[in-house]
């Protein structure tokens, strides 16, 4: 095996690791935790990973990967096909385009920016699902789910940072 | 050489366009997928079945240790309250014994009356117990996924219950996995009777814990605490299954709390009452 193909293999491995991590986060939402008040508003923590990798590690996680993870979420969350896929892709696209306003800023600024972008994406998803159902669905559970998602950002972003570090080392 | 150069330029042009309009391309792809889903395309349905059959068992294997941990915590809690539970069970046992004796008499009476009326019995029910492995709990959809499917005799439209009451119905089924549409889902509509006077109404989900009562008669006297049972209209659910109780009433907004506690749905019974109802013509949300 020559050096080029070995490098490509390492790159594929690093990308797969990041992709599997995001899919793991998608799955994590689906586990029956048995917590009574959480049963209706579990936050989609995979959105944090999509945001993080689109801003800081785009080389490991592209727009197509975000779309694919969204499709997986649609299948396991039993949602209209494409609703999560588009939401994940939109979050990736927005944060990728706004990278220069996000990357390199103090942590709390990034955190606020994540909250705003996720709010926009969830509103888009709400509109999209409402259009499919041909009537507006309740916004309250969506807002509660966002309120639960935002405090999870520091922890999940920290793990994403660790994952990307491992991926980088694998690539080397 | 010229051809190779031309092909290279063409390829980089396509790459550039894809990158530039990637989101637009994905939006088109999504609409394409939605159209295929709507058209009930065979290849698409096969692809979805394969995806569900691969993803759900993978998830099950991956998260069994976590679920196991929570079950262990629950078991420890149960052991701590064993004495109290034992006393409760003794009382419950006595109560059930009395009900059993009563039931026996009613069964005999029913048998005699059936013979007298030459009444045709409905088909026997088939029941399958299944473990809940996915509880998506999304703000956009309310469903469950269980590890039992066509191979276990489950079919689309089967009724899903727990000992406490109605949970929902099977909306999508693959050989080993079934997806259940919960009563709380935005798309769920159940014809019900409310209270002792059995007012007809429709119970609608709105993606929250409480269900809404709609289409009830204007002069209906519905009070907090009234029992809500299925009416059997539409032939999707049989008559008399307990759904829940009226929880609150503000002007014309009546909310119902389901009897089956969503957070404690570990095992469910999937029952085939032999009803096909409107499901043969109307497709469930997929």
């Amino acid at each position: 095996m020559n050096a080029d193909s070995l490098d490509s293999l390492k790159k594929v491995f690093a990308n797969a690791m990041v992709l599997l991590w995001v899919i793991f986060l998608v799955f994590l939402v689906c586990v029956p935790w048995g917590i009574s008040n959480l049963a209706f508003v579990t936050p989609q923590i995979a959105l944090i990973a999509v945001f993080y990798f689109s801003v800081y590690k785009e080389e490991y996680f592209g727009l197509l990967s975000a779309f694919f993870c969204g499709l997986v979420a649609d299948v396991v969350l039993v949602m209209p096909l494409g609703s999560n896929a588009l939401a994940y892709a939109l979050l990736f696209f927005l944060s990728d385009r706004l990278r220069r306003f996000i990357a390199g800023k103090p942590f709390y600024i990034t955190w606020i920016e994540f909250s705003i972008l996720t709010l926009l994406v969830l509103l888009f998803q709400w509109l999209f699902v409402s259009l499919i159902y041909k009537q507006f669905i309740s916004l309250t559970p969506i807002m509660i789910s966002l309120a639960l998602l935002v405090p999870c950002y520091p922890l999940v972003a920290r793990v994403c940072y660790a994952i990307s570090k491992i991926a980088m080392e694998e690539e080397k | 050489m010229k051809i190779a150069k031309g092909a290279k330029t063409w390829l980089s042009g396509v790459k550039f366009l894809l990158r530039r309009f990637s989101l637009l391309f994905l939006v088109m792809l999504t609409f394409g997928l939605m159209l295929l889903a709507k058209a009930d395309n065979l290849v698409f349905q096969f692809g979805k079945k394969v995806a569900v059959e691969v993803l759900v068992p993978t998830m099950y294997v991956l998260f069994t240790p976590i679920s196991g941990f929570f079950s262990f915590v629950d078991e420890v809690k149960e052991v701590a309250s064993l004495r109290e539970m034992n006393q409760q069970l003794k009382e419950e046992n006595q109560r059930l014994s009395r009900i059993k004796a009563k039931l026996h008499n009613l069964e005999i009476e029913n048998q005699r009356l059936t013979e007298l009326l030459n009444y045709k019995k409905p088909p026997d029910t088939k029941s399958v117990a299944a473990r809940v492995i996915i509880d998506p709990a999304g703000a956009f959809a309310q469903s469950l996924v269980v590890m039992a499917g066509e191979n276990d005799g489950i079919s689309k439209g089967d009724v899903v219950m727990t000992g406490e009451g109605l949970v929902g119905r099977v909306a999508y089924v693959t050989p080993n996995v079934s997806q259940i549409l919960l009563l709380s889902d935005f798309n769920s509509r159940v014809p019900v009777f409310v209270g002792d006077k059995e007012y007809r109404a429709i119970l609608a989900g709105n993606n929250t814990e409480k269900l809404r009562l709609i289409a009830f008669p204007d002069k209906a006297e519905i009070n907090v605490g009234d029992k809500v049972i299925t009416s059997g209209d539409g032939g999707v659910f049989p008559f008399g299954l307990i759904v829940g109780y009226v929880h609150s009433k503000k002007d014309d907004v009546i909310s119902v709390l389901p009897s089956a506690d969503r957070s404690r749905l570990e095992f469910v019974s999937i029952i085939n009452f032999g009803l096909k109802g409107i499901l043969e013509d109307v497709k469930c949300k997929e």
Side-chain angles (χ1 to χ4, degrees):
Chain A
M1 196 179 274
N2 61 26
D4 276 355
S5 48
L6 194 69
D7 281 351
S8 317
L9 203 69
K10 280 179 178 173
K11 171 98 178 141
V12 168
F13 185 75
N15 287 5
M17 199 163 74
V18 171
L19 185 73
L20 286 176
W21 164 242
V22 182
I23 292 175
F24 175 83
L25 290 179
V26 170
F27 283 174
L28 201 63
V29 178
C30 306
V31 180
W33 296 104
I35 304 169
S36 69
N37 293 326
L38 204 66
F40 289 86
V41 286
T42 314
Q44 288 194 47
I45 46 177
L47 287 171
I48 299 173
V50 171
F51 173 81
Y52 181 88
F53 289 119
S54 65
V55 174
Y56 300 107
K57 294 287 165 214
E58 198 205 359
E59 62 270 31
Y60 296 128
F61 191 78
L63 184 66
L64 264 178
S65 308
F67 185 79
F68 175 75
C69 290
L71 275 183
V72 171
D74 285 330
V75 172
V76 292
L77 293 168
V78 202
M79 281 183 62
L81 207 67
S83 55
N84 272 308
L86 265 190
Y88 283 35
L90 184 68
L91 180 65
F92 185 95
F93 183 80
L94 288 176
S95 27
D96 183 42
R97 286 294 150 104
L98 299 170
R99 186 181 296 124
R100 63 198 172 102
F101 301 109
I102 303 171
K105 296 278 188 304
F107 181 76
Y108 72 92
I109 300 270
T110 317
W111 195 354
I112 293 168
E113 280 165 338
F114 164 74
S115 313
I116 295 167
L117 285 181
T118 312
L119 171 70
L120 290 176
V121 167
L122 287 179
L123 285 176
F124 163 80
Q125 199 178 6
W126 168 74
L127 199 65
F128 183 81
V129 176
S130 296
L131 279 174
I132 292 173
Y133 292 160
K134 291 174 194 151
Q135 52 181 317
F136 289 111
I137 61 170
S138 173
L139 255 176
T140 317
I142 297 157
M143 289 300 122
I144 297 173
S145 129
L146 177 68
L148 290 172
L149 176 69
V150 171
C152 297
Y153 181 80
L155 180 69
V156 181
R158 179 76 211 165
V159 182
C160 287
Y161 169 73
I163 296 273
S164 58
K165 251 188 131 179
I166 297 167
M168 269 163 70
E169 271 173 25
E170 283 297 332
E171 204 184 340
K172 277 175 195 168
Chain B
M1 198 67 179
K2 258 185 184 178
I3 295 167
K5 201 179 175 186
K8 221 174 182 180
T9 320
W10 183 81
L11 207 70
S12 59
V14 170
K15 267 187 181 173
F16 172 77
L17 279 175
L18 274 179
R19 206 173 301 144
R20 185 136 182 85
F21 299 105
S22 48
L23 191 67
L24 189 71
F25 167 71
L26 290 178
V27 170
M28 281 158 63
L29 183 67
T30 305
F31 281 103
L33 284 172
M34 284 167 67
L35 277 177
L36 283 175
K38 203 103 181 150
D40 224 355
N41 182 283
L42 276 178
V43 177
F44 177 83
Q45 289 303 331
F46 176 75
K48 192 182 170 189
K49 264 192 182 179
V50 170
V52 171
E53 283 280 313
V54 170
L55 287 173
V56 173
T58 307
M59 234 204 82
Y60 180 59
V61 171
L62 205 62
F63 287 99
T64 300
I66 297 176
S67 303
F69 171 75
F70 281 96
S71 301
F72 174 72
V73 171
D74 282 344
E75 276 168 27
V76 170
K77 277 183 193 168
E78 271 182 29
V79 168
S81 58
L82 218 54
R83 185 188 282 266
E84 196 184 332
M85 268 170 71
N86 191 31
Q87 186 58 34
Q88 278 176 0
L89 283 172
K90 273 181 184 169
E91 285 167 17
E92 182 77 4
N93 197 23
Q94 280 178 354
R95 198 175 66 84
L96 286 174
S97 298
R98 284 196 297 272
I99 292 175
K100 193 183 167 190
K102 219 176 188 176
L103 266 177
H104 181 67
N105 291 339
L106 283 171
E107 204 174 326
I108 293 168
E109 191 183 323
N110 187 29
Q111 201 178 342
R112 284 180 189 156
L113 288 170
T114 304
E115 281 166 13
L116 204 69
L117 289 168
N118 202 15
Y119 173 72
K120 259 191 182 174
K121 274 188 175 177
D124 284 341
T125 57
K126 285 176 210 156
S127 171
V128 176
R131 191 195 184 101
V132 175
I133 53 164
I134 298 183
D135 186 356
F140 294 100
Q142 292 290 312
S143 53
L144 294 176
V145 178
V146 295
M147 200 68 176
E150 284 162 348
N151 292 346
D152 304 283
I154 295 170
S155 53
K156 189 174 165 180
D158 283 358
V159 176
V160 183
M161 296 195 66
T162 65
E164 296 166 322
L166 186 66
V167 172
R169 63 178 164 78
V170 175
Y172 184 75
V173 63
T174 68
N176 298 301
V177 174
S178 301
Q179 293 178 339
I180 296 159
L181 186 77
L182 293 174
L183 295 177
S184 52
D185 188 274
F186 193 73
N187 289 295
S188 168
R189 298 286 183 275
V190 183
V192 289
F193 282 142
V194 187
D196 293 337
K197 290 185 180 170
E198 298 196 340
Y199 293 111
R200 276 181 203 281
I202 301 285
L203 198 63
N206 58 353
N207 289 354
T208 61
E209 193 182 4
K210 291 172 192 106
L211 316 170
R212 277 180 307 126
L213 212 56
I214 55 171
F216 50 86
D218 288 340
K219 288 175 185 171
E221 290 165 21
I222 297 172
N223 301 309
V224 173
D226 279 356
K227 192 154 74 169
V228 180
I229 58 168
T230 52
S231 67
D233 293 341
V236 178
F237 298 99
F239 164 77
L241 303 178
I242 293 179
V243 181
Y245 294 87
V246 174
H247 177 262
S248 67
K249 187 185 174 188
K250 273 180 197 162
D251 301 324
D252 272 352
V253 182
I254 299 176
S255 63
V256 172
L257 201 63
S259 298
D261 184 355
R262 165 80 190 271
S263 60
R264 290 194 290 135
L265 291 179
E266 200 180 340
F267 289 95
V268 290
S269 294
I270 301 176
I271 308 165
N272 186 340
F273 285 96
L275 300 167
K276 287 291 169 204
I278 53 170
L279 285 172
E280 274 185 327
D281 304 323
V282 180
K283 275 186 199 125
C284 299
K285 181 195 81 173
E286 282 173 2

